């Protein structure tokens, strides 16, 4: 298994909408100082050139912390910046195509919303699953809240690590106890906070109680 579930405890997903003129690397460093254990670079509006430039910069930064860098959706950017892997949704690149491009040693994460999707992703070679939206989502308005029973069923059905995502805050983490998740993926709970480092520390503390 390429991904140790403990590495997925606090999975930070970037969002530049809260930068207000700061460099993304500045906020990412604060998150890493706070204890983020896994990082996904998510960019929807940058050009390929700017996306690659930023990915290369963050790749150098995460090396200092021994934290994996995952690229959201864009398999070619992941390859070109030598990221640790890619995360793809159900409507994005196929797992087998991503594997051919990235090779056997890179991490491929896949979004799953049902037990069927989870089992199919595992069978096709996914290394971990992002499952949700467990509390709805402020970043994806077209998704519904997932019943806790579905999250539990997915965790029970697969042998690869599972990360819960979607609307997760520090106060909501205790709700996930007993589901079997290996960690939580958060966007605004880290990157929208005034004190990013403190927010990450507090989230990690809560996750460690699961």
């Amino acid at each position: 298994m390429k991904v140790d579930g403990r590495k997925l405890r606090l999975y930070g997903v970037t969002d530049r909408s809260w930068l207000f003129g700061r460099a993304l690397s500045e906020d990412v460093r604060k998150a890493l100082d706070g204890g983020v254990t896994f990082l996904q670079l998510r960019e929807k509006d940058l050009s390929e050139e700017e996306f690659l430039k930023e990915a290369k910069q963050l790749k150098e930064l995460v090396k200092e912390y021994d934290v994996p860098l995952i690229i959201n959706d864009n398999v070619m950017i992941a390859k070109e910046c030598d990221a640790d892997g890619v995360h793809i949704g159900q409507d994005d690149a196929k797992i087998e195509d991503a594997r051919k491009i990235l090779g056997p040693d890179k991490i491929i994460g896949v979004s799953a919303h049902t037990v069927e999707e989870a089992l199919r992703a595992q069978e096709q070679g996914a290394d971990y699953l992002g499952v949700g939206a467990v509390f709805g989502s402020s970043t994806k308005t077209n998704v519904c809240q997932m019943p806790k029973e579905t999250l539990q069923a997915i965790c029970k059905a697969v042998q690869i690590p599972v990360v819960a995502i979607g609307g997760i805050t520090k106060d909501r983490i205790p709700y996930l106890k007993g589901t079997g998740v290996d960690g939580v993926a958060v966007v605004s709970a880290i990157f929208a906070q005034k004190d990013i480092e403190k927010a990450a520390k507090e989230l990690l503390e809560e996750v460690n109680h699961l």
Side-chain angles (χ1 to χ4, degrees), residues 170-182:
K170 183 182 74 170
D171 295 337
R172 286 170 166 173
I173 289 173
Y175 169 90
L176 300 172
K177 192 167 271 190
T179 58
V181 296
D182 293 274

Side-chain angles (χ1 to χ4, degrees), residues 10 17 20 30 84 88 105 108 117 132 146 148 166 179 186:
L10 184 56
S17 62
F20 304 113
K30 291 173 188 172
D84 296 283
I88 53 181
D105 299 326
I108 296 179
E117 286 180 356
M146 173 179 284
K148 188 174 183 178
T179 58
V186 292

Side-chain angles (χ1 to χ4, degrees), residues 135-207:
F135 299 104
S137 173
S138 60
T139 55
K140 292 190 177 183
T141 53
N142 61 336
V143 296
C144 300
Q145 182 169 339
M146 173 179 284
K148 188 174 183 178
E149 294 75 19
T150 303
L151 180 59
Q152 286 174 316
I154 289 172
C155 291
K156 194 173 180 181
V158 299
Q159 280 76 54
I160 55 177
V162 172
V163 179
I165 190 168
I168 293 171
T169 62
K170 183 182 74 170
D171 295 337
R172 286 170 166 173
I173 289 173
Y175 169 90
L176 300 172
K177 192 167 271 190
T179 58
V181 296
D182 293 274
V184 299
V186 292
V187 188
S188 60
I190 290 179
F191 291 103
Q193 305 308 305
K194 284 185 178 177
D195 190 332
I196 290 171
E197 183 177 344
K198 182 185 175 192
K201 280 180 180 172
E202 291 178 350
L203 285 163
L204 184 59
E205 193 175 324
E206 285 295 333
V207 178

Side-chain angles (χ1 to χ4, degrees), residues 1-168:
M1 187 181 291
K2 291 192 203 70
V3 186
D4 183 338
R6 290 170 296 185
K7 265 290 187 188
L8 292 161
R9 298 303 277 167
L10 184 56
Y11 188 139
V13 182
T14 67
D15 188 332
R16 66 175 41 255
S17 62
W18 293 296
L19 289 177
F20 304 113
R22 297 186 305 271
L24 182 63
S25 58
E26 191 181 324
D27 282 6
V28 167
R29 185 179 286 281
K30 291 173 188 172
L32 292 165
D33 284 338
V36 160
T37 58
F38 217 78
L39 183 76
Q40 181 186 132
L41 174 58
R42 185 170 182 265
E43 291 292 0
K44 297 296 185 183
D45 302 314
L46 286 186
S47 67
E48 291 284 299
E49 185 182 355
E50 285 297 311
F51 193 169
L52 179 58
K53 182 180 175 184
E54 191 164 76
K56 286 179 174 177
Q57 188 177 19
L58 290 190
K59 173 64 180 171
E60 289 306 307
L61 177 57
V62 297
K63 270 185 194 174
E64 297 176 32
Y65 295 83
D66 191 29
V67 167
L69 175 67
I70 301 296
I71 303 298
N72 179 260
D73 290 352
N74 198 315
V75 179
M76 294 314 298
I77 292 285
K79 182 176 175 62
E80 288 178 52
C81 77
D82 192 29
D84 296 283
V86 69
H87 186 93
I88 53 181
Q90 289 293 317
D91 301 321
D92 299 323
K94 291 181 179 176
I95 298 172
E96 61 181 299
D97 293 339
R99 182 65 71 203
K100 282 177 188 171
I101 292 166
L102 296 177
D105 299 326
K106 296 298 185 180
I107 298 166
I108 296 179
V110 178
S111 298
H113 315 90
T114 65
V115 170
E116 291 73 25
E117 286 180 356
L119 287 170
R120 184 166 62 246
Q122 177 178 259
E123 187 181 326
Q124 292 173 352
D127 297 300
Y128 75 88
L129 300 173
V131 175
V134 291
F135 299 104
S137 173
S138 60
T139 55
K140 292 190 177 183
T141 53
N142 61 336
V143 296
C144 300
Q145 182 169 339
M146 173 179 284
K148 188 174 183 178
E149 294 75 19
T150 303
L151 180 59
Q152 286 174 316
I154 289 172
C155 291
K156 194 173 180 181
V158 299
Q159 280 76 54
I160 55 177
V162 172
V163 179
I165 190 168
I168 293 171

